[in-house]
mmCIF file of all heavy atoms in Angstrom:
data_model
loop_
_atom_site.group_PDB
_atom_site.id
_atom_site.type_symbol
_atom_site.label_atom_id
_atom_site.label_comp_id
_atom_site.label_asym_id
_atom_site.label_seq_id
_atom_site.Cartn_x
_atom_site.Cartn_y
_atom_site.Cartn_z
ATOM 1 N N PRO A 121 100.086 126.113 84.996
ATOM 2 C CA PRO A 121 98.981 126.786 84.314
ATOM 3 C C PRO A 121 97.857 125.806 83.963
ATOM 4 O O PRO A 121 96.722 126.216 83.718
ATOM 5 C CB PRO A 121 99.627 127.364 83.053
ATOM 6 C CG PRO A 121 100.810 126.488 82.811
ATOM 7 C CD PRO A 121 101.280 126.032 84.165
ATOM 8 N N VAL A 124 98.085 117.691 83.755
ATOM 9 C CA VAL A 124 97.889 116.506 82.932
ATOM 10 C C VAL A 124 97.606 115.347 83.883
ATOM 11 O O VAL A 124 98.403 115.064 84.773
ATOM 12 C CB VAL A 124 99.135 116.212 82.058
ATOM 13 C CG1 VAL A 124 99.021 114.861 81.394
ATOM 14 C CG2 VAL A 124 99.333 117.315 81.029
ATOM 15 N N HIS A 142 91.425 123.673 81.603
ATOM 16 C CA HIS A 142 92.512 123.561 80.619
ATOM 17 C C HIS A 142 93.330 122.277 80.792
ATOM 18 O O HIS A 142 94.345 122.098 80.121
ATOM 19 C CB HIS A 142 93.425 124.782 80.699
ATOM 20 C CG HIS A 142 92.701 126.061 80.435
ATOM 21 N ND1 HIS A 142 92.219 126.400 79.191
ATOM 22 C CD2 HIS A 142 92.330 127.072 81.266
ATOM 23 C CE1 HIS A 142 91.604 127.568 79.261
ATOM 24 N NE2 HIS A 142 91.656 127.999 80.510
ATOM 25 N N GLU A 144 94.440 118.290 80.703
ATOM 26 C CA GLU A 144 94.370 117.199 79.735
ATOM 27 C C GLU A 144 94.248 115.890 80.505
ATOM 28 O O GLU A 144 94.783 115.761 81.603
ATOM 29 C CB GLU A 144 95.644 117.167 78.884
ATOM 30 C CG GLU A 144 95.863 118.421 78.065
ATOM 31 C CD GLU A 144 97.224 118.407 77.373
ATOM 32 O OE1 GLU A 144 97.728 117.317 77.037
ATOM 33 O OE2 GLU A 144 97.776 119.500 77.189
ATOM 34 N N TYR A 146 94.393 111.463 80.145
ATOM 35 C CA TYR A 146 94.865 110.337 79.340
ATOM 36 C C TYR A 146 94.606 109.036 80.078
ATOM 37 O O TYR A 146 94.914 108.932 81.262
ATOM 38 C CB TYR A 146 96.372 110.469 79.053
ATOM 39 C CG TYR A 146 96.688 111.690 78.226
ATOM 40 C CD1 TYR A 146 97.017 112.895 78.842
ATOM 41 C CD2 TYR A 146 96.618 111.643 76.837
ATOM 42 C CE1 TYR A 146 97.274 114.025 78.092
ATOM 43 C CE2 TYR A 146 96.877 112.775 76.080
ATOM 44 C CZ TYR A 146 97.204 113.958 76.711
ATOM 45 O OH TYR A 146 97.455 115.070 75.963
ATOM 46 N N LEU A 152 102.652 114.779 75.144
ATOM 47 C CA LEU A 152 103.893 115.547 75.252
ATOM 48 C C LEU A 152 104.789 115.030 76.369
ATOM 49 O O LEU A 152 104.308 114.645 77.435
ATOM 50 C CB LEU A 152 103.576 117.027 75.539
ATOM 51 C CG LEU A 152 102.841 117.796 74.458
ATOM 52 C CD1 LEU A 152 102.555 119.224 74.933
ATOM 53 C CD2 LEU A 152 103.636 117.828 73.166
ATOM 54 N N SER A 153 106.086 115.083 76.126
ATOM 55 C CA SER A 153 107.056 114.754 77.170
ATOM 56 C C SER A 153 107.046 115.859 78.219
ATOM 57 O O SER A 153 106.492 116.950 78.004
ATOM 58 C CB SER A 153 108.457 114.638 76.568
ATOM 59 O OG SER A 153 108.922 115.922 76.170
ATOM 60 N N LEU A 154 107.698 115.596 79.339
ATOM 61 C CA LEU A 154 107.845 116.588 80.404
ATOM 62 C C LEU A 154 108.455 117.883 79.851
ATOM 63 O O LEU A 154 107.958 118.980 80.098
ATOM 64 C CB LEU A 154 108.754 115.981 81.487
ATOM 65 C CG LEU A 154 108.686 116.474 82.896
ATOM 66 C CD1 LEU A 154 107.342 116.158 83.530
ATOM 67 C CD2 LEU A 154 109.779 115.820 83.721
ATOM 68 N N ALA A 155 109.537 117.738 79.093
ATOM 69 C CA ALA A 155 110.226 118.903 78.521
ATOM 70 C C ALA A 155 109.332 119.635 77.522
ATOM 71 O O ALA A 155 109.223 120.868 77.565
ATOM 72 C CB ALA A 155 111.522 118.474 77.852
ATOM 73 N N ASP A 156 108.677 118.895 76.630
ATOM 74 C CA ASP A 156 107.831 119.528 75.617
ATOM 75 C C ASP A 156 106.641 120.248 76.240
ATOM 76 O O ASP A 156 106.243 121.317 75.786
ATOM 77 C CB ASP A 156 107.353 118.505 74.588
ATOM 78 C CG ASP A 156 108.480 118.028 73.694
ATOM 79 O OD1 ASP A 156 109.514 118.726 73.581
ATOM 80 O OD2 ASP A 156 108.338 116.935 73.097
ATOM 81 N N TRP A 157 106.062 119.677 77.308
ATOM 82 C CA TRP A 157 104.948 120.342 77.994
ATOM 83 C C TRP A 157 105.422 121.671 78.582
ATOM 84 O O TRP A 157 104.757 122.695 78.447
ATOM 85 C CB TRP A 157 104.378 119.445 79.097
ATOM 86 C CG TRP A 157 103.170 120.037 79.752
ATOM 87 C CD1 TRP A 157 101.868 119.830 79.397
ATOM 88 C CD2 TRP A 157 103.152 120.949 80.860
ATOM 89 N NE1 TRP A 157 101.039 120.563 80.230
ATOM 90 C CE2 TRP A 157 101.806 121.258 81.132
ATOM 91 C CE3 TRP A 157 104.132 121.539 81.645
ATOM 92 C CZ2 TRP A 157 101.417 122.115 82.159
ATOM 93 C CZ3 TRP A 157 103.764 122.408 82.666
ATOM 94 C CH2 TRP A 157 102.414 122.682 82.913
ATOM 95 N N HIS A 158 106.568 121.672 79.245
ATOM 96 C CA HIS A 158 107.108 122.902 79.837
ATOM 97 C C HIS A 158 107.378 123.951 78.749
ATOM 98 O O HIS A 158 107.111 125.138 78.954
ATOM 99 C CB HIS A 158 108.382 122.604 80.626
ATOM 100 C CG HIS A 158 108.122 122.127 82.020
ATOM 101 N ND1 HIS A 158 107.658 120.853 82.296
ATOM 102 C CD2 HIS A 158 108.258 122.746 83.210
ATOM 103 C CE1 HIS A 158 107.523 120.722 83.601
ATOM 104 N NE2 HIS A 158 107.882 121.853 84.186
ATOM 105 N N LYS A 159 107.903 123.536 77.619
ATOM 106 C CA LYS A 159 108.169 124.480 76.524
ATOM 107 C C LYS A 159 106.864 125.021 75.944
ATOM 108 O O LYS A 159 106.747 126.227 75.698
ATOM 109 C CB LYS A 159 109.019 123.810 75.455
ATOM 110 C CG LYS A 159 110.441 123.568 75.925
ATOM 111 C CD LYS A 159 111.240 122.760 74.931
ATOM 112 C CE LYS A 159 112.642 122.478 75.472
ATOM 113 N NZ LYS A 159 113.421 121.607 74.579
ATOM 114 N N LYS A 160 105.884 124.165 75.742
ATOM 115 C CA LYS A 160 104.588 124.585 75.188
ATOM 116 C C LYS A 160 103.937 125.637 76.092
ATOM 117 O O LYS A 160 103.356 126.610 75.611
ATOM 118 C CB LYS A 160 103.662 123.380 75.049
ATOM 119 C CG LYS A 160 102.245 123.746 74.646
ATOM 120 C CD LYS A 160 101.318 122.536 74.676
ATOM 121 C CE LYS A 160 99.879 122.969 74.466
ATOM 122 N NZ LYS A 160 98.941 121.876 74.627
ATOM 123 N N HIS A 161 104.024 125.448 77.396
ATOM 124 C CA HIS A 161 103.389 126.357 78.341
ATOM 125 C C HIS A 161 104.308 127.501 78.800
ATOM 126 O O HIS A 161 103.964 128.239 79.715
ATOM 127 C CB HIS A 161 102.870 125.573 79.551
ATOM 128 C CG HIS A 161 101.704 124.703 79.213
ATOM 129 N ND1 HIS A 161 100.420 125.164 79.187
ATOM 130 C CD2 HIS A 161 101.655 123.400 78.848
ATOM 131 C CE1 HIS A 161 99.611 124.187 78.849
ATOM 132 N NE2 HIS A 161 100.334 123.106 78.623
ATOM 133 N N LYS A 162 105.464 127.611 78.133
ATOM 134 C CA LYS A 162 106.425 128.696 78.398
ATOM 135 C C LYS A 162 106.881 128.752 79.856
ATOM 136 O O LYS A 162 107.041 129.826 80.452
ATOM 137 C CB LYS A 162 105.862 130.035 77.948
ATOM 138 C CG LYS A 162 105.586 130.084 76.453
ATOM 139 C CD LYS A 162 104.965 131.388 76.032
ATOM 140 C CE LYS A 162 104.729 131.534 74.572
ATOM 141 N NZ LYS A 162 104.321 130.438 73.776
ATOM 142 N N VAL A 163 107.086 127.559 80.439
ATOM 143 C CA VAL A 163 107.594 127.475 81.812
ATOM 144 C C VAL A 163 108.909 126.703 81.872
ATOM 145 O O VAL A 163 109.367 126.339 82.953
ATOM 146 C CB VAL A 163 106.532 126.864 82.777
ATOM 147 C CG1 VAL A 163 105.375 127.830 82.960
ATOM 148 C CG2 VAL A 163 106.047 125.511 82.291
ATOM 149 N N TRP A 164 109.517 126.439 80.714
ATOM 150 C CA TRP A 164 110.844 125.805 80.644
ATOM 151 C C TRP A 164 111.848 126.776 81.244
ATOM 152 O O TRP A 164 111.862 127.964 80.900
ATOM 153 C CB TRP A 164 111.182 125.519 79.186
ATOM 154 C CG TRP A 164 112.564 125.011 78.953
ATOM 155 C CD1 TRP A 164 113.664 125.772 78.641
ATOM 156 C CD2 TRP A 164 113.018 123.659 78.989
ATOM 157 N NE1 TRP A 164 114.766 124.980 78.485
ATOM 158 C CE2 TRP A 164 114.408 123.666 78.696
ATOM 159 C CE3 TRP A 164 112.398 122.447 79.254
ATOM 160 C CZ2 TRP A 164 115.166 122.517 78.651
ATOM 161 C CZ3 TRP A 164 113.156 121.298 79.205
ATOM 162 C CH2 TRP A 164 114.524 121.332 78.912
#
Side-chain angles (χ1 to χ4, degrees):
V124 170
H142 300 290
E144 298 173 30
Y146 297 92
L152 295 177
S153 70
L154 204 66
D156 290 339
W157 185 92
H158 276 74
K159 290 173 183 176
K160 173 187 172 186
H161 290 276
K162 298 177 177 37
V163 291
W164 174 267

